[in-house]
Amino acid sequence: MKITMIILSLFSLVSLSACAFKENKASKLETLASNYGGIYIFDKKIREEILENERKIKEYNQWINNISASDEELRANIKK
C-alpha cells in the first residue's frame, strides 16, 4: 500500500512539473511571437505592391486631412 501511494505521489509530482514546464514554454513562445511576429514577404513583386498600397493610403489620408482642414476654415469664415 505504501509503495502504491509513493508511486502515485511521484507520478502526480512529475505530471504537475511537466504541466508547469509546458506553460512556461508557451509563454516564452508567445513573447517571441509578439516580438518577432508578423508577415514576412520574400516575393519582391508582392512587397512592392504592398508598399505601393501603403503609399496610396498615406496620400489618401493626407488628402482627407487637407479637405477637413479647408472645410473647417470655410465653416469658420461662414460663422464670421
Side-chain angles (χ1 to χ4, degrees):
M1 187 71 173
K2 284 185 178 182
I3 294 174
T4 306
M5 292 299 287
I6 291 172
I7 291 173
L8 284 175
S9 62
L10 285 175
F11 178 73
S12 64
L13 285 174
V14 169
S15 62
L16 288 174
S17 63
C19 290
F21 177 72
K22 183 178 179 183
E23 184 66 32
N24 188 19
K25 187 176 179 182
S27 65
K28 286 181 182 178
L29 284 175
E30 289 172 359
T31 303
L32 286 173
S34 67
N35 288 340
Y36 302 106
I39 299 173
Y40 294 93
I41 305 296
F42 296 104
D43 188 3
K44 188 175 181 179
K45 182 180 177 184
I46 294 173
R47 185 176 187 283
E48 288 174 358
E49 182 179 342
I50 290 171
L51 291 174
E52 179 67 23
N53 288 340
E54 288 176 351
R55 184 188 61 76
K56 287 178 181 178
I57 290 170
K58 186 177 179 181
E59 287 177 1
Y60 180 74
N61 286 335
Q62 288 175 348
W63 180 72
I64 292 293
N65 288 336
N66 289 339
I67 288 177
S68 64
S70 63
D71 184 49
E72 290 173 4
E73 290 173 6
L74 288 172
R75 291 175 188 263
N77 290 334
I78 291 173
K79 289 181 182 178
K80 290 180 182 180

